[in-house]
Amino acid sequence: MSALTWITVGSLAAWLWLLLGQGFFWRTDVRLPERRPPAAWPPVAVVVPARDEAEVLPSSLPSLLAQDYPGKAEVFLVDDGSSDGTGELARALAAERGGLPLTVASPGEPGPGWTGKLWAVRHGMALARERTDATYLLLTDADIAHAPDSLRELVAAAESGGLDLVSQMARLRVATVWERLIVPAFVYFFAQLYPFRRINRPGARTTAAAGGCVLLRSDAAERAGVPDSIRQAVIDDVTLSRAVRRAGGRIWLGLADRVDSVRPYPGLGMLWRMVSRSAYAQLRHNPLLLAGTVAGLAVVYLAPPVAVVAGALTGGTAALAAGAAAWAIMAGTYVPMLRYYRQPLLLAPLLPFTALLYLLMTVDSAVQHYRGRGAAWKGRTYARPEAAP
């Protein structure tokens, strides 16, 4: 057999293993677990770090203020050095819409060793401790819109299951051509790295969270030393979940039904920056892991279509058959995610092209790191590696 045939057979074997042995990552039925209303609804503090979010705040903040929660709840929006009037707009929206009490505060520039978002979260958590007796903290991003019963359902799930951290991966916006190509795949790849079913097993080693929507028990945060113990984290959600689990906490992660990101990513450039800003940090800034990831993506995602085309042109039936089978499994595992995002199933065979884009984004992330630019977001650059929790 030719080298391409061997590589393609390896790709097919990898896809058979991914189909059956990687926690059924491709299924999209992991939603909030069975829950029942608690006898008494515990108090909750909602912490929203926000930096230059005036564009999306009118679509997100009112949904938090309008939460239909039977217990006591209060919202703390922390304006992280915005230059677009985010804080003033938040106050105006609260005055206009009413609802849950809102406190807007600003902690100033991040302290040494802190990322901006976690510095804002630290300030919001400190305010919550001073002003409330919150049993839970809802950490949610400023671009996330919640259905009116979102907080109630999260708390019910945590109370029913004895969970310390409940996180839902918000449904990201999918409207433009580039969003259709890249966004569902972003969640698909995340689930492949962090299979939800494995994460949700008690005592599991695999752990992750989705930073846009995290309900965290206050005493679990204290046991884990959060957020101080993760203050340098660029990928703060995964690092948070590791800290909570290491402190003995129980974690649940799944897809959301009515928690949505309202942030637009209309062009390839914005999506590219979203992925590349943290891709190399995900690989722990390790060149060997980078090389392995690039090789793995090439073998698993790119080899099958190459083998199909090469086999069709040269008459190599073995490579063509193995490539077609691997490509079919790949596309089939992508179908549930496309359905979840209500996208045409014809996009499924294009997953190798999307994987190529992610490969290039990952390489670009490493290039920017070695040029000394680090992870950049909203005018800040984080050149230092993540601290271990």
Side-chain angles (χ1 to χ4, degrees), residues 2 8 69 78 121 123 129 132 141 145-146 156 166 196 210 225 234 238 250 269 274 280 309 364-365 369 385:
S2 67
T8 310
Y69 184 66
V78 184
V121 169
H123 192 69
R129 283 194 299 269
T132 73
D141 289 345
H146 292 255
V166 179
F196 297 162
V234 175
V238 175
R250 291 193 59 194
M274 178 189 77
Y280 197 40
V309 173
D364 180 59
S365 179
H369 172 79

Side-chain angles (χ1 to χ4, degrees), residues 253-337:
L253 170 65
L255 294 173
D257 286 315
R258 293 193 295 156
V259 177
D260 301 293
S261 172
V262 297
R263 187 181 304 283
Y265 291 97
L268 177 60
M270 291 185 67
L271 287 161
W272 191 289
R273 287 191 293 274
M274 178 189 77
V275 175
S276 66
R277 71 186 178 98
S278 60
Y280 197 40
Q282 181 69 56
L283 300 176
R284 305 172 192 170
H285 303 100
N286 186 321
L288 293 178
L289 285 178
L290 173 67
T293 298
V294 169
L297 285 171
V299 169
V300 174
Y301 286 96
L302 305 186
V306 170
V308 168
V309 173
L313 293 175
T314 64
T317 56
L320 191 154
W327 198 354
I329 295 172
M330 181 195 317
T333 62
Y334 193 36
V335 164
M337 190 61 69

Side-chain angles (χ1 to χ4, degrees), residues 49-132:
R51 179 173 171 83
D52 291 337
E53 299 287 12
E55 178 184 4
V56 297
L57 214 58
S59 300
S60 59
L61 182 59
S63 74
L64 285 173
L65 300 176
Q67 284 300 296
D68 180 17
Y69 184 66
K72 179 182 176 183
E74 188 169 346
V75 180
F76 297 89
L77 185 139
V78 184
D79 184 359
D80 178 22
S82 299
S83 59
D84 65 350
T86 289
E88 293 80 0
L89 176 59
R91 293 185 183 94
L93 288 169
E96 176 186 343
R97 307 292 179 88
L100 297 182
L102 173 70
T103 298
V104 178
S106 179
E109 284 300 303
W114 285 83
T115 65
K117 177 180 176 180
L118 288 172
W119 181 249
V121 169
R122 177 181 184 270
H123 192 69
M125 290 175 63
L127 282 174
R129 283 194 299 269
E130 291 173 7
R131 302 187 185 184
T132 73

Side-chain angles (χ1 to χ4, degrees), residues 131-318:
R131 302 187 185 184
T132 73
D133 55 349
T135 302
Y136 289 98
L137 300 161
L138 175 59
L139 310 179
T140 185
D141 289 345
D143 63 341
I144 303 298
H146 292 255
D149 61 351
S150 175
L151 182 56
R152 185 172 68 242
E153 294 296 294
L154 286 165
V155 171
E159 290 284 289
S160 298
L163 299 168
D164 296 291
L165 187 155
V166 179
S167 181
Q168 288 185 294
M169 178 160 281
R171 199 188 305 256
L172 305 177
R173 195 190 91 136
V174 177
T176 67
V177 170
W178 287 112
E179 287 172 339
R180 290 189 175 96
L181 278 171
I182 292 176
V183 167
F186 177 83
V187 183
Y188 173 88
F189 293 142
F190 183 92
Q192 192 176 87
L193 284 172
Y194 305 104
F196 297 162
R197 281 177 169 78
R198 287 187 182 175
I199 291 168
N200 298 341
R201 294 174 189 164
R205 296 186 63 183
T206 303
T207 186
C213 178
V214 176
L215 184 76
L216 177 62
R217 199 179 290 268
S218 298
D219 56 6
E222 291 180 9
R223 288 196 303 271
V226 171
D228 296 60
S229 62
I230 63 170
R231 61 187 178 278
Q232 291 180 320
V234 175
I235 308 173
D236 53 88
D237 44 14
V238 175
T239 312
L240 167 64
S241 72
R242 289 173 182 160
V244 172
R245 177 150 279 170
R246 287 175 181 174
R250 291 193 59 194
I251 291 171
W252 185 92
L253 170 65
L255 294 173
D257 286 315
R258 293 193 295 156
V259 177
D260 301 293
S261 172
V262 297
R263 187 181 304 283
Y265 291 97
L268 177 60
M270 291 185 67
L271 287 161
W272 191 289
R273 287 191 293 274
M274 178 189 77
V275 175
S276 66
R277 71 186 178 98
S278 60
Y280 197 40
Q282 181 69 56
L283 300 176
R284 305 172 192 170
H285 303 100
N286 186 321
L288 293 178
L289 285 178
L290 173 67
T293 298
V294 169
L297 285 171
V299 169
V300 174
Y301 286 96
L302 305 186
V306 170
V308 168
V309 173
L313 293 175
T314 64
T317 56

